């Protein structure tokens, strides 16, 4: 097993800094003791020459990977252990966890190696001696612990974002509903002239509008939950995209969002896709309403439909406030709102739903945005 038996004890004694000879009365030589140690230890010992060619591997590694230890000898370490660091990366007494895979069971082991370059008297590297320990269980437990901690942190952040959203988004409508109800009560106690009737009607309208807003928020939360739980039923239909988007844009423009109009640019020839029209409406409507909502006072938003090979791409573009860089990676998360939203109302749920629904329709969504310049949201769907 030991290619150069005379070298190993020398190196071991160099590595352990114990050059003194042991006095053993049973007559067992120090060399034999070392051999017994390396053969029975669970630790993995590897010795390469200065060219990183394996000269020795302990039986423990061969046992772990279910190979013949001789299989390794004479081969470059990188050819049998692909993840092994190259010489410049190895620092004396540095610990490194390296994944090794059994060629038979394909099981992955995580081995923590400690590297020790051995130098000649002229200061050149003579050999590399590495001691390894199987730390698979330790590393997996650590990963599990980190994942749990990460999930818990995420959940806590989600909770505080929900509380912040709920306190902003529920308080105003509830306060309006309460004050309108109290005013109606007061007006009803007075004489009931046509003026009071108008005022009452006005307050009733306010109550209805705010109740609708609360209902919409609740529906969004439920829709997201259903989408994530895969409870949304998909009903595929052939959709003529240009016509579909044009009609949607016209309907949104009729809702009068501060007298602004969304512009639609379609391709010369109509393209149809097989999709769920109601989910597609939800996706595009959300993006278009956001484009209007976050670009008050700027140029009108645009919707572009483009055909790219086997995909259709819909771009919703605005020239509004844009999204700060540090918020960009989070905006598809639940209840997340960028720092620059100011007094603009919102729950931070829309894009989360849009992303989940796009996934359901086998589509893709991405965006680019520049603070103060505007945003471009892209969705693409395969044409089947
Ligand atoms: P909200 O109800 O807050 O609009 P969304 O989930 O639709 O929730 O969007 C999440 C956040 O992403 C918004 O609060 C806003 O900060 C940012 N955002 C989305 N669309 C745009 C846009 N077109 N321009 C600027 N910011 C946007």
């Amino acid at each position: 097993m030991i290619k150069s038996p005379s070298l190993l004890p020398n190196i071991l004694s160099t590595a352990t800094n114990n050059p003194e000879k042991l006095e053993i009365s049973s007559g067992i030589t120090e060399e034999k003791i070392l051999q017994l140690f390396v053969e029975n230890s669970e630790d993995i010992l590897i010795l390469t020459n200065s060219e990183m060619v394996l000269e020795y591997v302990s039986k423990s590694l061969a046992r772990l990977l279910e190979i013949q230890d001789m299989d390794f000898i004479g081969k470059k370490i990188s050819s049998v252990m692909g993840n092994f660091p190259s010489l410049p990366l190895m620092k004396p007494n540095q610990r490194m966890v390296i994944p090794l895979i059994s060629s038979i069971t394909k099981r992955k082991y995580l081995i923590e190696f400690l590297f020790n370059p051995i130098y000649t008297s002229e200061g050149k590297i003579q050999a590399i001696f590495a001691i390894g320990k199987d730390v698979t269980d330790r590393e997996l437990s650590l990963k599990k612990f980190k994942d749990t901690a990460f999930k818990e942190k995420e959940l806590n952040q989600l909770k505080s974002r929900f509380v912040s959203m709920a306190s902003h988004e529920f308080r105003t409508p509830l306060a309006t509903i309460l004050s309108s109800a109290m005013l109606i009560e007061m007006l009803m106690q007075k004489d009931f002239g046509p003026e009071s009737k108008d005022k009452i009607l006005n307050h009733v309208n306010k109550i209805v509008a705010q109740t609708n807003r609360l209902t919409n928020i609740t529906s969004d939360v439920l829709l997201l939950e259903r989408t994530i739980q895969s409870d949304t039923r998909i009903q595929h239909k052939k959709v003529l995209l240009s016509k579909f988007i044009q009609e949607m844009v016209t309907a949104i423009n009729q809702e009068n969002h501060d007298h602004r109009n969304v512009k639609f640019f379609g391709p010369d020839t109509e393209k149809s896709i097989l999709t769920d029209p109601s989910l597609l409406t939800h996706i595009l409507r959300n993006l278009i309403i956001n484009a209007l909502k976050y670009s008050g006072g700027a140029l009108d938003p645009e919707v572009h439909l483009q055909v790219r090979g086997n995909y259709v791409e819909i771009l919703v573009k605005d020239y509004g406030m844009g999204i700060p860089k540090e918020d960009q990676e989070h905006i598809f998360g639940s209840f997340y709102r960028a720092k620059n939203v100011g007094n603009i109302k919102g729950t931070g749920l829309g894009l989360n739903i849009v992303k989940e629904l796009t996934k359901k329709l086998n589509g893709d969504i991405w965006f680019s945005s520049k603070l103060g310049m505007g945003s471009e949201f892209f969705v693409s769907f395969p044409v089947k």
Side-chain angles (χ1 to χ4, degrees), residues 89-96 113-115:
L89 291 178
M90 286 185 197
K91 308 248 163 48
N93 294 318
Q94 181 193 12
R95 284 179 198 277
M96 232 182 205
F113 278 106
L114 179 72
F115 299 109

Side-chain angles (χ1 to χ4, degrees), residues 97-373:
V97 176
I98 297 172
L100 297 182
I101 296 170
S102 159
S103 56
I104 301 190
T105 58
K106 303 289 174 220
R107 196 176 150 191
K108 183 168 141 189
Y109 296 94
L110 297 167
I111 313 293
E112 185 178 69
F113 278 106
L114 179 72
F115 299 109
N116 268 304
I118 314 290
Y119 295 96
T120 61
S121 50
E122 291 86 46
K124 284 195 182 136
I125 288 185
Q126 179 189 6
I128 307 284
F129 179 57
I131 308 177
K133 245 193 191 75
D134 179 4
V135 291
T136 314
D137 291 343
R138 184 193 80 187
E139 290 297 302
L140 291 183
S141 309
L142 199 66
K143 186 174 176 314
K144 231 187 212 164
F145 174 74
K146 278 186 187 160
D147 286 351
T148 313
F150 180 73
K151 268 195 199 131
E152 198 166 316
K153 194 173 156 211
E154 284 235 302
L155 270 175
N156 276 335
Q157 285 175 347
L158 191 70
K159 201 171 75 185
S160 53
R161 291 207 300 265
F162 175 76
V163 170
S164 151
M165 181 282 287
S167 62
H168 282 110
E169 291 301 302
F170 289 180
R171 217 172 23 197
T172 321
L174 287 174
T176 311
I177 291 168
L178 187 65
S179 68
S180 284
M182 282 161 67
L183 286 167
I184 289 172
E185 192 186 23
M186 272 170 58
L187 288 165
M188 303 247 310
Q189 280 165 1
K190 283 205 222 157
D191 294 343
F192 225 80
E195 212 181 298
S196 296
K197 213 171 164 189
D198 282 351
K199 280 184 183 162
I200 288 173
L201 208 59
N202 181 29
H203 285 299
V204 169
N205 286 340
K206 275 190 186 167
I207 290 175
V208 171
Q210 296 302 336
T211 314
N212 280 341
R213 225 178 106 201
L214 290 175
T215 312
N216 286 342
I217 295 174
T218 320
S219 309
D220 270 0
V221 175
L222 289 176
L223 177 62
L224 179 64
E225 184 62 15
R226 276 213 323 267
T227 313
I228 290 172
Q229 302 293 334
S230 293
D231 271 357
T232 335
R233 259 186 291 141
I234 300 178
Q235 289 177 322
H236 285 292
K237 280 191 188 140
K238 188 175 155 188
V239 171
L240 295 169
L241 267 183
S242 277
K243 185 169 172 278
F244 183 84
I245 299 173
Q246 181 63 72
E247 282 173 6
M248 186 191 302
V249 165
T250 308
I252 291 174
N253 287 341
Q254 280 166 359
E255 288 166 16
N256 188 10
H257 295 266
D258 292 334
H259 306 290
R260 296 172 70 219
N261 276 318
V262 179
K263 296 186 180 116
F264 173 59
F265 303 87
D268 295 338
T269 48
E270 180 61 286
K271 192 88 191 167
S272 69
I273 61 167
L274 213 54
T275 190
D276 185 311
S278 90
L279 299 191
L280 184 64
T281 303
H282 200 100
I283 294 168
L284 296 181
R285 196 182 153 79
N286 245 294
L287 295 177
I288 296 171
I289 297 294
N290 273 354
L292 283 162
K293 195 163 83 166
Y294 296 107
S295 71
L299 288 173
D300 286 343
E302 296 161 16
V303 179
H304 297 256
L305 168 66
Q306 285 148 351
V307 183
R308 299 194 185 282
N310 290 331
Y311 287 86
V312 285
E313 190 180 281
I314 302 155
L315 159 65
V316 180
K317 180 183 172 82
D318 69 65
Y319 298 91
M321 60 172 54
I323 304 166
K325 236 185 166 47
E326 65 271 23
D327 291 312
Q328 292 192 1
E329 62 175 306
H330 305 291
I331 61 155
F332 288 110
S334 293
F335 308 115
Y336 195 91
R337 306 200 72 208
K339 311 278 171 300
N340 61 337
V341 290
N343 287 330
I344 302 172
K345 297 240 166 286
T347 57
L349 267 182
L351 284 182
N352 198 175
I353 297 173
V354 164
K355 183 162 187 171
E356 294 300 327
L357 293 180
T358 307
K359 241 196 291 180
K360 283 255 166 318
L361 297 180
N362 297 322
D364 241 335
I365 180 162
W366 68 98
F367 73 97
S368 79
S369 184
K370 258 205 177 132
L371 197 60
M373 306 284 281

